[in-house]
Amino acid sequence: MNNSENSIIIGSTKFWVGAKGILYCKFSNDNPNYKLDIERAKLYVQAIVRLCNGKSMPFLIDLRGTRGTFSPEAITVLAESSYLKVLRISEAFVYNSIGMKLLIISYKRIYNQVTPYFMFSDVAIAKQYCIETKNMFYGSN
Protein backbone atom coordinates (compact mmCIF):
# COMPACT_ATOMS: atom_id res chain seq x y z
CA MET A 1 0.00 0.00 0.00
CA ASN A 2 1.44 3.35 -1.07
CA ASN A 3 -0.19 6.35 0.53
CA SER A 4 0.15 10.04 1.11
CA GLU A 5 -2.06 12.32 3.14
CA ASN A 6 -4.48 12.79 0.21
CA SER A 7 -4.35 9.54 -1.74
CA ILE A 8 -3.74 5.84 -1.34
CA ILE A 9 -2.55 3.52 -4.10
CA ILE A 10 -3.07 -0.23 -3.81
CA GLY A 11 -1.71 -2.09 -6.80
CA SER A 12 -3.21 -0.45 -9.86
CA THR A 13 -6.03 1.22 -7.91
CA LYS A 14 -5.92 4.78 -6.58
CA PHE A 15 -8.21 6.26 -3.92
CA TRP A 16 -8.43 9.96 -3.05
CA VAL A 17 -10.85 12.62 -1.80
CA GLY A 18 -11.48 15.54 -4.12
CA ALA A 19 -12.10 19.18 -3.25
CA LYS A 20 -15.89 18.72 -3.39
CA GLY A 21 -15.86 15.96 -0.76
CA ILE A 22 -16.15 13.09 -3.25
CA LEU A 23 -14.24 9.87 -2.68
CA TYR A 24 -12.66 8.80 -5.98
CA CYS A 25 -11.70 5.22 -6.82
CA LYS A 26 -9.76 4.81 -10.08
CA PHE A 27 -9.19 1.24 -11.22
CA SER A 28 -6.49 0.78 -13.88
CA ASN A 29 -6.09 -2.95 -14.32
CA ASP A 30 -5.62 -4.09 -17.93
CA ASN A 31 -5.37 -7.84 -17.26
CA PRO A 32 -8.64 -9.54 -18.32
CA ASN A 33 -7.77 -12.55 -16.14
CA TYR A 34 -7.40 -10.51 -12.94
CA LYS A 35 -9.79 -11.45 -10.14
CA LEU A 36 -10.17 -9.17 -7.11
CA ASP A 37 -9.60 -11.28 -4.00
CA ILE A 38 -10.78 -10.87 -0.42
CA GLU A 39 -7.43 -9.63 0.93
CA ARG A 40 -7.25 -6.83 -1.64
CA ALA A 41 -10.90 -5.94 -0.95
CA LYS A 42 -10.09 -5.57 2.76
CA LEU A 43 -7.22 -3.23 1.87
CA TYR A 44 -9.64 -1.17 -0.22
CA VAL A 45 -12.01 -0.86 2.76
CA GLN A 46 -9.14 0.25 5.01
CA ALA A 47 -8.06 2.87 2.46
CA ILE A 48 -11.57 4.26 2.08
CA VAL A 49 -12.12 4.40 5.85
CA ARG A 50 -8.84 6.27 6.29
CA LEU A 51 -9.56 8.78 3.52
CA CYS A 52 -13.16 9.46 4.57
CA ASN A 53 -12.02 10.05 8.15
CA GLY A 54 -15.53 9.42 9.52
CA LYS A 55 -17.34 11.68 7.01
CA SER A 56 -19.97 10.19 4.70
CA MET A 57 -19.27 10.90 1.02
CA PRO A 58 -20.47 9.99 -2.44
CA PHE A 59 -18.16 7.52 -4.17
CA LEU A 60 -17.12 8.08 -7.80
CA ILE A 61 -15.83 4.75 -9.09
CA ASP A 62 -13.95 5.11 -12.38
CA LEU A 63 -13.79 1.77 -14.18
CA ARG A 64 -12.89 3.09 -17.64
CA GLY A 65 -10.32 0.89 -19.28
CA THR A 66 -10.15 -1.60 -16.45
CA ARG A 67 -10.62 -5.31 -16.99
CA GLY A 68 -11.10 -8.37 -14.86
CA THR A 69 -13.67 -9.51 -12.34
CA PHE A 70 -14.05 -10.22 -8.62
CA SER A 71 -14.50 -13.15 -6.30
CA PRO A 72 -17.86 -13.38 -4.52
CA GLU A 73 -16.04 -13.13 -1.18
CA ALA A 74 -14.26 -9.93 -2.19
CA ILE A 75 -17.37 -8.23 -3.46
CA THR A 76 -19.26 -9.25 -0.31
CA VAL A 77 -16.57 -7.47 1.75
CA LEU A 78 -17.07 -4.28 -0.29
CA ALA A 79 -20.87 -4.46 -0.37
CA GLU A 80 -21.46 -5.53 3.22
CA SER A 81 -18.76 -3.67 5.14
CA SER A 82 -20.40 -1.94 8.11
CA TYR A 83 -17.82 0.85 7.73
CA LEU A 84 -18.67 1.47 4.09
CA LYS A 85 -22.41 1.31 4.72
CA VAL A 86 -22.04 4.35 6.96
CA LEU A 87 -19.60 6.22 4.70
CA ARG A 88 -21.27 5.64 1.28
CA ILE A 89 -23.86 8.28 0.38
CA SER A 90 -24.12 7.15 -3.24
CA GLU A 91 -22.08 5.52 -5.99
CA ALA A 92 -21.40 6.95 -9.43
CA PHE A 93 -19.87 4.33 -11.71
CA VAL A 94 -18.01 5.54 -14.81
CA TYR A 95 -17.54 2.90 -17.49
CA ASN A 96 -16.67 2.64 -21.19
CA SER A 97 -17.43 -0.96 -22.10
CA ILE A 98 -20.54 -3.09 -22.19
CA GLY A 99 -18.76 -5.79 -20.19
CA MET A 100 -18.08 -3.39 -17.32
CA LYS A 101 -21.65 -2.07 -17.47
CA LEU A 102 -22.98 -5.62 -17.11
CA LEU A 103 -20.59 -6.28 -14.20
CA ILE A 104 -21.85 -3.16 -12.39
CA ILE A 105 -25.49 -4.10 -12.97
CA SER A 106 -24.86 -7.61 -11.63
CA TYR A 107 -23.03 -6.28 -8.57
CA LYS A 108 -25.80 -3.84 -7.72
CA ARG A 109 -28.59 -6.36 -8.29
CA ILE A 110 -27.01 -9.20 -6.33
CA TYR A 111 -24.84 -7.62 -3.64
CA ASN A 112 -25.77 -4.02 -2.91
CA GLN A 113 -29.33 -2.96 -3.53
CA VAL A 114 -29.38 -0.31 -0.80
CA THR A 115 -26.86 2.35 -1.87
CA PRO A 116 -28.25 4.75 -4.49
CA TYR A 117 -26.22 4.61 -7.69
CA PHE A 118 -26.10 5.65 -11.29
CA MET A 119 -23.89 4.64 -14.21
CA PHE A 120 -22.22 7.17 -16.48
CA SER A 121 -19.98 7.30 -19.51
CA ASP A 122 -18.92 10.88 -18.68
CA VAL A 123 -16.90 11.79 -15.56
CA ALA A 124 -18.20 15.38 -15.40
CA ILE A 125 -21.81 14.19 -15.23
CA ALA A 126 -20.83 11.57 -12.63
CA LYS A 127 -19.25 14.33 -10.50
CA GLN A 128 -22.41 16.39 -10.75
CA TYR A 129 -24.47 13.40 -9.59
CA CYS A 130 -22.13 13.00 -6.60
CA ILE A 131 -22.44 16.67 -5.68
CA GLU A 132 -26.24 16.50 -5.93
CA THR A 133 -26.50 13.38 -3.75
CA LYS A 134 -24.11 14.90 -1.20
CA ASN A 135 -26.19 18.10 -1.07
CA MET A 136 -29.38 16.07 -0.59
CA PHE A 137 -27.73 14.00 2.17
CA TYR A 138 -26.41 17.02 4.06
CA GLY A 139 -29.38 19.26 3.23
CA SER A 140 -27.49 22.02 1.43
CA ASN A 141 -27.59 23.54 -2.05
Side-chain angles (χ1 to χ4, degrees):
M1 186 182 322
N2 179 11
N3 62 350
S4 70
E5 192 172 308
N6 300 321
S7 68
I8 297 174
I9 298 171
I10 302 169
S12 61
T13 304
K14 181 178 180 180
F15 300 89
W16 74 98
V17 175
K20 299 279 186 185
I22 299 169
L23 177 90
Y24 292 86
C25 309
K26 172 63 178 151
F27 294 86
S28 301
N29 180 57
D30 62 359
N31 179 355
N33 297 316
Y34 178 77
K35 189 172 205 171
L36 177 66
D37 63 32
I38 192 167
E39 294 309 316
R40 179 68 54 102
K42 288 178 182 178
L43 290 175
Y44 290 174
V45 171
Q46 291 173 7
I48 292 166
V49 168
R50 177 184 282 168
L51 289 169
C52 287
N53 195 27
K55 184 170 175 76
S56 297
M57 299 180 183
F59 292 9
L60 193 152
I61 303 157
D62 189 347
L63 299 164
R64 292 173 298 165
T66 198
R67 299 174 73 187
T69 188
F70 47 79
S71 72
E73 298 82 14
I75 208 64
T76 298
V77 166
L78 295 172
E80 298 298 324
S81 165
S82 58
Y83 297 113
L84 296 187
K85 285 181 179 182
V86 171
L87 295 174
R88 242 185 335 237
I89 292 174
S90 64
E91 294 170 315
F93 294 94
V94 182
Y95 69 95
N96 64 351
S97 74
I98 190 69
M100 195 53 65
K101 181 178 181 178
L102 293 172
L103 193 66
I104 296 164
I105 291 168
S106 296
Y107 159 70
K108 293 304 292 183
R109 186 182 63 233
I110 297 168
Y111 295 98
N112 184 344
Q113 299 174 0
V114 177
T115 306
Y117 80 100
F118 214 90
M119 296 184 300
F120 303 91
S121 58
D122 183 291
V123 171
I125 298 170
K127 286 181 190 177
Q128 187 58 41
Y129 171 78
C130 288
I131 292 167
E132 289 170 7
T133 59
K134 181 181 172 195
N135 289 345
M136 287 179 11
F137 183 82
Y138 286 109
S140 60
N141 296 332

CSV table of all heavy atoms in Angstrom, one decimal, residues 44 95 100:
chain,number,residue,atom,x,y,z
A,44,TYR,N,-8.8,-2.3,0.3
A,44,TYR,CA,-9.6,-1.2,-0.2
A,44,TYR,C,-10.5,-0.5,0.9
A,44,TYR,O,-10.6,0.7,1.0
A,44,TYR,CB,-10.5,-1.7,-1.4
A,44,TYR,CG,-9.8,-2.1,-2.6
A,44,TYR,CD1,-10.5,-2.6,-3.7
A,44,TYR,CD2,-8.5,-1.9,-2.8
A,44,TYR,CE1,-9.9,-3.0,-4.9
A,44,TYR,CE2,-7.8,-2.2,-4.0
A,44,TYR,CZ,-8.6,-2.8,-5.0
A,44,TYR,OH,-8.0,-3.1,-6.2
A,95,TYR,N,-18.0,4.1,-16.7
A,95,TYR,CA,-17.5,2.9,-17.5
A,95,TYR,C,-17.4,3.3,-19.0
A,95,TYR,O,-17.9,4.3,-19.4
A,95,TYR,CB,-18.6,1.8,-17.3
A,95,TYR,CG,-19.9,2.0,-18.0
A,95,TYR,CD1,-20.1,1.6,-19.3
A,95,TYR,CD2,-20.8,2.8,-17.4
A,95,TYR,CE1,-21.3,1.9,-19.9
A,95,TYR,CE2,-22.0,3.1,-18.0
A,95,TYR,CZ,-22.3,2.6,-19.3
A,95,TYR,OH,-23.4,2.9,-19.9
A,100,MET,N,-18.1,-4.0,-18.6
A,100,MET,CA,-18.1,-3.4,-17.3
A,100,MET,C,-19.5,-2.9,-16.9
A,100,MET,O,-19.8,-3.0,-15.7
A,100,MET,CB,-17.1,-2.2,-17.3
A,100,MET,CG,-16.7,-1.7,-16.0
A,100,MET,SD,-16.1,-3.0,-14.8
A,100,MET,CE,-14.6,-3.6,-15.6
